[in-house]
Amino acid sequence: MYVRRFDGGTNTLYIYFYGELVAEEMDKAIFEWVLTASHVDALRVQRIFADLRHIVTADLRNTDVARVSFFFRKLSKKLLLSVDELESLVSKMQIVRLIDGDSHAGKLFRERLGRMSSRMVSYTVYDNVEAAVQKLGLQVPEVEKIMDSLA
């Protein structure tokens, strides 16, 4: 399960996951936000901060490169972009995933990312809030305040 929020001031999409992470739920969270966002806001996203520290279990369904390709085709149609244009846009984004690296769910999530590694997207995973936030060029108190509001 998840909740999400877009901060237009920093052009950051925050996604807070909790409970069970099922199949392609990360893609679902992003795509459902795109469906509800304005076209302008959807194209403004420069950062995605996904907090997965509160997932208790994850599965390995739909964790392959073919699924990533399908998601990019679906998202590019919605954004009125070619897949190449979308790949270019995503390649410029900073995408950070924050996990509890010691938990079973965190270890499964790392395995998921290994299965989905592709030329389309870079997967950066952190188990330290400060390092994740620094990667995005944001401030820890600001990010923690937003994530606490989603919890």
Side-chain angles (χ1 to χ4, degrees), residues 28-148:
K28 183 179 175 185
I30 293 168
F31 191 75
E32 286 180 355
W33 178 78
V34 167
L35 290 176
T36 62
S38 72
H39 189 257
V40 171
D41 278 349
L43 293 175
R44 284 179 47 204
V45 173
Q46 296 174 355
R47 300 171 187 86
I48 297 176
F49 185 90
D51 186 345
L52 297 119
R53 292 175 296 171
H54 304 283
I55 59 171
V56 293
T57 188
D59 68 31
L60 297 173
R61 288 180 286 162
N62 296 334
T63 55
D64 58 19
V65 175
R67 196 229 13 101
V68 173
S69 296
F70 174 77
F71 175 65
F72 268 67
R73 286 192 308 273
K74 182 176 162 182
L75 191 56
S76 67
K77 285 180 185 176
K78 174 61 184 155
L79 293 173
L80 307 173
L81 300 170
S82 70
V83 172
D84 288 341
E85 290 169 324
L86 179 61
E87 286 179 16
S88 176
L89 186 70
V90 170
S91 73
K92 295 172 188 157
M93 283 183 189
Q94 296 173 309
I95 303 171
V96 167
R97 291 155 183 89
L98 181 62
I99 65 168
D100 176 353
D102 295 328
S103 73
H104 178 68
K107 291 173 185 170
L108 274 174
F109 190 73
R110 281 191 193 273
E111 183 177 342
R112 287 173 59 101
L113 292 180
R115 292 178 178 206
M116 295 185 301
S117 182
S118 77
R119 67 179 175 83
M120 293 180 200
V121 67
S122 170
Y123 297 108
T124 307
V125 179
Y126 294 91
D127 55 10
N128 173 294
V129 175
E130 290 79 14
V133 172
Q134 181 180 13
K135 166 70 176 170
L136 296 177
L138 301 172
Q139 301 297 314
V140 172
E142 171 189 349
V143 171
E144 286 181 337
K145 182 178 176 183
I146 291 172
M147 297 314 292
D148 286 347

